[in-house]
Amino acid sequence: MEIVKDTNIDFMGLKKYAYIFSGILSIIGIIAVISIMFGRGNLGIDFGGGTAVQLKFDKPIKIDAARDALQKHGINDAELQEFPLDNKLLIRLKKVSTSNEPVADTIISLFRQEFTANTFVVDSSIEIGPTVGKRLQKDAFTAVILSMIGIIIYIAFRFELKFGIAAAIATFHDVLAVLGVFFILNKEINLLIITALLTLAGYSLTDTVVVFDRIRDYLKIRRKDQIDVIINNGINHTLSRTLITSLTTALVLVALVIFGGEVIHDFSLALLLGVCVGTYSSIFVASPLLLLWKGGSGMMKKAA
Amino acid sequence: MKKTLKWRILLLAAATVLAVLFFLPSLPGFKSFPSWWKSVLPSKPITLGLDLQGGIHLVLGVEGDKAVENFVNHVADDIGTILTQKGINIVSAKRENVTDVVIKYSDTAKEKDVVNEMKKQYPNFSTAKDIPGEAVFSLGSSEKERIKDSAVSQALETIRNRIDQFGVTEPLIQRQGADEILIQLPGVKDPKRAIELIGKTALLEFKIVDEEGNLNTAIQGQIPEGDEVLYGKEVDPVTKAVKQTIPYLLKSKSLMTGDVISDAQVSINQEFNEPYVALSFNSVGARLFEKITGENVKKRMAIVLDGNVYSAPVIQERIGGGKASISGHFTMESAQDLAIVLRAGALPAPVKIIQNLTVGPSLGRDSIEKGLKASAIAAVLVLLFMVVYYKVSGLIADFAMVLNLIILTGALSALDATLTLPGIAGIILTIGMGVDSNVLIFERIREELRAGKPVRSAVDSGYDKALVTILDSHVTTLITALVLFMFGTGPIKGFAVTLSLGIAINLFTALVGTKVVYDYINSRTKVTKLSI
């Protein structure tokens, strides 16, 4: 069975549309990054500090009743999220308490008091101080930068600098795009999401490297051809692999999103989005970028 | 050719058998395995992360400045006593700020003696200010850092002792950064109690009740010089709510602290059938206690823990024999916890919980079930897809992927890596990458076949050509995985571990695992048409 057979699509001819589309995605991503840096957006408590308690009730619990109960005890700024399938309720408080009294304990005991007929177990409780949040933010930032540098060095070493930079830009684009979508959907940005972003960076690079590999091959053997023809051929000839791999990975991730449970739901969703964007970018972003560098095309031929 | 094929098959078989051996202990039925097995072969199950089995993850900040303050307080007290003994009249010797000892003296002619005595006793202090009638000494910054540092290591030891006595299997207690302590307690059933036990400073002090001072005016703020007001809390043993607080007017100076305790045990008071904590002092403590009680007969002595008065019995007579007891309205649990913290000793400085992640056991069970279910569904989908798309070759790829999973789980057990929920996601992702390697190879083989090459050389050159690409793609992913490993904590580290292991094993199974099958088939019969 073969899904794509001997295609000859002029991807390079489509690059204008791709640039517009990617430009929009990147701008949204950049807005997201700036907002996050200024502490706006739905920052998880691992970055901003705060308290989260997840309770699992015996019987269904109404979110309004829970909110009323919290307000009765002076907790007004809690964010509530329910998982109706399992009678679960997630209570998040971003403000860090100034007193030493653990907020999680207060919340748990007030629910014990208010809902005597509906018993519950504590699924998880998290309290993070603001200093830790700051440090985790810094660590995540360092991790992103370091892996980018590592990857550029590796690709520059295996191919040439131009490929490395093109791959890095494409990867950055993917990370920004997914972050942007998460920002718009108002999904919580937490450590797990940063992990997903880094993983998708790895994935999107893999995709890009496979295409680049083929382009490099053709640069060696077809020295008479125009560079955009070579790039088009490279993309077309790796297209079936690109699609098959993305399809199977997406298959796996869809299973994770649907069946993996609430803890890794957003994590898998970010990866799934990442696979889609990563596939798109290896075709429509990374390869056309090789053309943008005018002086480079001659160099590329010489190097090949 | 034949010979290397045999070796490769052997290598693959050996890796698989080893992996299975290491993974077997993680299976539910392992308990019924014969006992000789456990003595010879691996018997340790795979370690589950906190998110999968429940437990507590705590980061404590040690307030090192408090330890420095305590030290400087002690120095101020000490130098005051020494100067008085030497016949130098001082007005006061007190700590100011965090690191300064301020000595005020009446006889300005003795200025030199004060400075010299301080230099002799505490050379680590430097003279900061020296005006007639007042001398200020400052603790050097390197000395300050040393005290802070040792406060953290001491706190670490104390907490380790407490947790050992509390009875948690496989706790992780380690220092993190300059002033933090990371604690992971897997499988703890009563997180609140455990956290209280860990966080208690447990500074035990014996102080004399000031019977002459007026308690009522003291509560309103007129506290006599050298006194303080502390409260005793009467807690209802059932509801654990504070029933009432009782004020005490005490002499501030603590006559004795808990560091002379050699043992603390819970006993039951026969009369009231109430638990109390029986203390034994070491020889220094026994002598001190005898002296203190002898000098204060008919006075009340308060037993103060972390600033709370537990009891204030009247001393009936000089108490020898080095024993005392703390009564209060204890439950069996709270008495046991108090005995533990007293045995393990006080923290040199208070600690603050700056990160607290508690996962209940039920969420852990849920997560495992869902994680495994999702993995199984994902794996079946991928395996099916490969067979449909690549037919017999897809089957061969499936074989490699199953090998991949077996070796990966075995390696995780063998390396004693911690399996977390993101770790399971990492495993699933590795399946995806495993597919990718095979797809790369198969697509190349298809190209070669289309170009009219015979099966055998199409397979060989397909592998050759895909090799570089596979290597590049794996290394780039490995770079991100390693960075994640370096910067990640907890579950994320688990993800990085499974991902990097998965990538390495993938490379092995994709290049050796499937190739062996092709080579084996090719070596037996001459294949003219490849099902791909």
Side-chain angles (χ1 to χ4, degrees):
Chain A
M1 189 167 122
E2 276 179 74
I3 295 177
V4 274
K5 233 177 188 173
D6 271 343
T7 50
N8 198 5
I9 305 165
D10 180 19
F11 290 109
M12 289 304 102
L14 296 170
K15 66 176 185 247
K16 249 184 230 147
Y17 304 105
Y19 286 151
I20 295 171
F21 181 61
S22 293
I24 295 171
L25 278 183
S26 306
I27 288 170
I28 295 172
I30 290 167
I31 292 173
V33 169
I34 292 172
S35 309
I36 287 166
M37 266 166 28
F38 283 99
R40 279 196 292 274
N42 192 356
L43 266 195
I45 59 165
D46 17 10
F47 289 135
T51 304
V53 181
Q54 185 172 305
L55 307 175
K56 186 181 181 178
F57 290 88
D58 279 347
K59 288 172 255 171
I61 173 135
K62 285 210 180 74
I63 203 159
D64 293 329
R67 186 167 287 124
D68 288 346
L70 285 165
Q71 268 164 4
K72 202 169 135 192
H73 291 258
I75 300 173
N76 298 315
D77 41 5
E79 281 173 37
L80 298 174
Q81 188 185 346
E82 54 179 340
F83 305 98
L85 270 182
D86 316 295
N87 296 336
K88 284 183 180 179
L89 183 69
L90 177 67
I91 303 133
R92 278 190 302 161
L93 265 170
K94 292 205 176 144
K95 241 198 310 199
V96 183
S97 61
T98 40
S99 66
N100 264 332
E101 165 101 358
V103 183
D105 286 353
T106 316
I107 292 175
I108 291 165
S109 64
L110 88 82
F111 270 93
R112 284 241 153 81
Q113 256 176 62
E114 298 288 328
F115 297 93
T116 41
N118 193 357
T119 52
F120 61 86
V121 288
V122 181
D123 254 357
S124 66
S125 86
I126 301 169
E127 289 200 51
I128 294 176
T131 48
V132 178
K134 287 260 162 53
R135 204 183 50 222
L136 289 177
Q137 228 170 338
K138 217 177 99 198
D139 279 0
F141 184 72
T142 321
V144 173
I145 297 297
L146 264 188
S147 50
M148 285 291 141
I149 293 174
I151 285 160
I152 293 178
I153 291 175
Y154 178 78
I155 296 182
F157 171 72
R158 294 280 301 142
F159 297 78
E160 56 179 287
L161 187 62
K162 177 176 183 164
F163 284 83
I165 291 174
I169 293 175
T171 309
F172 227 74
H173 158 272
D174 297 352
V175 173
L176 279 179
V178 175
L179 192 67
V181 172
F182 262 59
F183 183 72
I184 287 178
L185 293 178
N186 200 29
K187 292 265 177 202
E188 187 186 282
I189 313 288
N190 54 32
L191 263 188
L192 222 51
I193 298 302
I194 301 294
T195 311
L197 290 181
L198 277 173
T199 313
L200 87 84
Y203 177 86
S204 130
L205 262 163
T206 303
D207 237 28
T208 306
V209 163
V210 171
V211 180
F212 278 10
D213 236 22
R214 195 58 77 98
I215 295 174
R216 183 177 53 177
D217 265 8
Y218 290 166
L219 278 172
K220 276 185 207 155
I221 45 177
R222 306 183 188 170
R223 312 192 59 156
K224 276 177 289 175
D225 280 354
Q226 282 292 314
I227 182 99
D228 49 351
V229 174
I230 287 181
I231 293 176
N232 256 334
N233 279 330
I235 298 173
N236 273 299
H237 292 164
T238 47
L239 192 61
S240 69
R241 173 266 158 195
T242 306
L243 292 182
I244 298 304
T245 298
S246 301
L247 203 72
T248 44
T249 315
L251 220 57
V252 168
L253 290 169
V254 167
L256 272 188
V257 170
I258 298 176
F259 303 106
E262 77 260 8
V263 184
I264 49 172
H265 179 272
D266 286 359
F267 175 78
S268 339
L269 188 66
L271 283 178
L272 185 60
L273 278 174
V275 168
C276 301
V277 184
T279 308
Y280 155 81
S281 82
S282 65
I283 296 171
F284 290 99
V285 180
S287 307
L289 275 176
L290 292 175
L291 280 177
L292 265 189
W293 203 332
K294 281 282 187 280
S297 62
M299 247 176 61
M300 210 153 52
K301 281 189 173 169
K302 230 186 281 166
Chain B
M1 185 67 199
K2 267 248 160 103
K3 208 173 172 189
T4 68
L5 178 62
K6 210 194 256 166
W7 279 114
R8 276 182 290 158
I9 293 177
L10 261 173
L11 182 68
L12 220 54
T16 313
V17 170
L18 252 164
V20 170
L21 282 181
F22 272 106
F23 186 69
L24 273 180
S26 306
L27 293 178
F30 185 70
K31 282 203 187 90
S32 55
F33 272 53
S35 57
W36 60 262
W37 180 290
K38 286 162 198 164
S39 59
V40 192
L41 293 163
S43 62
K44 212 176 154 302
I46 203 159
T47 318
L48 296 180
L50 287 181
D51 52 348
L52 290 180
Q53 63 166 320
I56 312 174
H57 169 112
L58 285 178
V59 178
L60 301 178
V62 180
E63 294 178 18
D65 275 345
K66 281 271 157 44
V68 177
E69 279 179 14
N70 288 343
F71 174 75
V72 178
N73 273 337
H74 166 77
V75 170
D77 275 355
D78 194 43
I79 194 76
T81 315
I82 290 172
L83 289 173
T84 313
Q85 277 169 1
K86 297 241 158 146
I88 302 169
N89 280 327
I90 59 162
V91 179
S92 65
K94 274 187 188 150
R95 170 184 65 80
E96 263 180 27
N97 299 326
V98 177
T99 51
D100 296 352
V101 172
V102 179
I103 304 173
K104 290 185 178 150
Y105 47 94
S106 41
D107 188 355
T108 47
K110 298 271 176 152
E111 179 196 319
K112 246 206 172 122
D113 296 331
V114 171
V115 175
N116 283 342
E117 196 58 37
M118 184 70 190
K119 285 245 159 85
K120 197 174 113 199
Q121 298 290 338
Y122 294 101
N124 287 323
F125 281 80
S126 57
T127 316
K129 206 166 71 183
D130 190 7
I131 51 169
E134 188 179 318
V136 180
F137 303 93
S138 250
L139 184 66
S141 64
S142 67
E143 190 67 5
K144 185 180 159 191
E145 288 312 310
R146 194 194 58 75
I147 292 171
K148 279 186 175 179
D149 187 71
S150 80
V152 179
S153 13
Q154 226 179 310
L156 190 78
E157 263 328 293
T158 309
I159 289 170
R160 184 169 315 200
N161 268 329
R162 290 181 188 177
I163 290 169
D164 279 351
Q165 299 188 21
F166 188 58
V168 176
T169 47
E170 296 192 42
L172 172 81
I173 306 156
Q174 65 187 31
R175 198 172 167 158
Q176 181 178 290
D179 53 4
E180 286 172 9
I181 296 173
L182 169 76
I183 302 169
Q184 282 190 351
L185 308 176
V188 164
K189 295 282 181 311
D190 189 350
K192 200 177 166 192
R193 186 179 160 199
I195 291 168
E196 266 169 21
L197 184 81
I198 292 167
K200 226 181 216 146
T201 310
L203 176 65
L204 182 71
E205 296 166 293
F206 294 89
K207 294 182 174 181
I208 293 296
V209 176
D210 185 359
E211 309 280 7
E212 280 127 47
N214 187 329
L215 181 60
N216 288 326
T217 55
I219 294 170
Q220 277 146 27
Q222 288 174 301
I223 303 168
E225 173 81 25
D227 278 9
E228 63 185 347
V229 176
L230 291 179
Y231 294 86
K233 285 186 194 130
E234 202 176 307
V235 178
D236 190 297
V238 184
T239 62
K240 288 180 186 168
V242 178
K243 272 204 302 205
Q244 57 173 328
T245 53
I246 309 152
Y248 294 89
L249 183 64
L250 306 175
K251 299 269 182 202
S252 308
K253 191 177 166 64
S254 62
L255 302 172
M256 206 172 137
T257 52
D259 51 358
V260 293
I261 289 170
S262 65
D263 195 16
Q265 292 293 340
V266 178
S267 293
I268 303 284
N269 180 320
Q270 298 297 331
E271 204 178 328
F272 302 107
N273 199 27
E274 228 180 38
Y276 68 94
V277 178
L279 305 176
S280 313
F281 299 119
N282 61 23
S283 56
V284 177
R287 268 201 306 278
L288 198 58
F289 195 64
E290 192 171 350
K291 182 167 163 270
I292 294 166
T293 49
E295 285 167 2
N296 293 291
V297 174
K298 296 297 169 204
K299 287 183 187 160
R300 293 173 75 194
M301 184 162 72
I303 298 167
V304 183
L305 184 75
D306 293 343
N308 292 315
V309 180
Y310 270 70
S311 51
V314 177
I315 301 168
Q316 299 295 349
E317 56 187 352
R318 167 189 287 264
I319 304 171
K323 286 194 189 308
S325 67
I326 307 176
S327 54
H329 295 270
F330 291 121
T331 61
M332 203 57 201
E333 261 180 17
S334 62
Q336 268 162 3
D337 290 352
L338 180 60
I340 289 177
V341 294
L342 290 176
R343 278 200 301 268
L347 292 181
V351 293
K352 208 161 72 190
I353 296 171
I354 48 182
Q355 190 180 357
N356 171 8
L357 276 65
T358 306
V359 179
S362 65
L363 180 67
R365 254 197 321 279
D366 268 16
S367 301
I368 293 189
E369 271 167 23
K370 286 193 177 134
L372 289 181
K373 188 175 157 202
S375 316
I377 293 171
V380 168
L381 283 177
V382 171
L383 292 177
L384 272 178
F385 177 83
M386 289 302 274
V387 176
V388 170
Y389 199 78
Y390 291 113
K391 289 170 229 143
V392 177
S393 294
L395 207 61
I396 296 172
D398 284 353
F399 159 76
M401 254 180 289
V402 172
L403 266 188
N404 197 350
L405 271 182
I406 293 174
I407 297 177
L408 180 56
T409 45
L412 284 174
S413 311
L415 293 176
D416 202 16
T418 308
L419 189 64
T420 58
L421 200 58
I424 293 181
I427 294 177
I428 303 175
L429 217 61
T430 327
I431 302 178
M433 296 228 18
V435 174
D436 185 45
S437 308
N438 285 302
V439 171
L440 275 167
I441 295 166
F442 291 167
E443 291 297 314
R444 283 286 190 170
I445 293 177
R446 277 181 173 181
E447 274 176 39
E448 299 294 317
L449 286 174
R450 268 198 294 260
K453 280 200 185 170
V455 170
R456 193 174 193 157
S457 72
V459 169
D460 281 345
S461 62
Y463 269 91
D464 279 349
K465 286 189 171 163
L467 176 72
V468 187
T469 316
I470 292 176
L471 211 62
D472 280 342
S473 69
H474 279 67
V475 172
T476 43
T477 313
L478 197 59
I479 291 173
T480 26
L482 289 180
V483 172
L484 277 180
F485 182 76
M486 273 157 55
F487 286 92
T489 48
I492 291 165
K493 207 165 208 144
F495 175 74
V497 169
T498 48
L499 193 62
S500 11
L501 265 180
I503 291 164
I505 291 164
N506 208 4
L507 209 53
F508 172 71
T509 49
L511 295 179
V512 182
T514 50
K515 189 81 193 324
V516 159
V517 182
Y518 283 117
D519 286 352
Y520 181 75
I521 296 170
N522 276 327
S523 71
R524 309 219 86 185
T525 49
K526 195 164 159 43
V527 185
T528 48
K529 200 172 175 316
L530 189 64
S531 165
I532 192 162

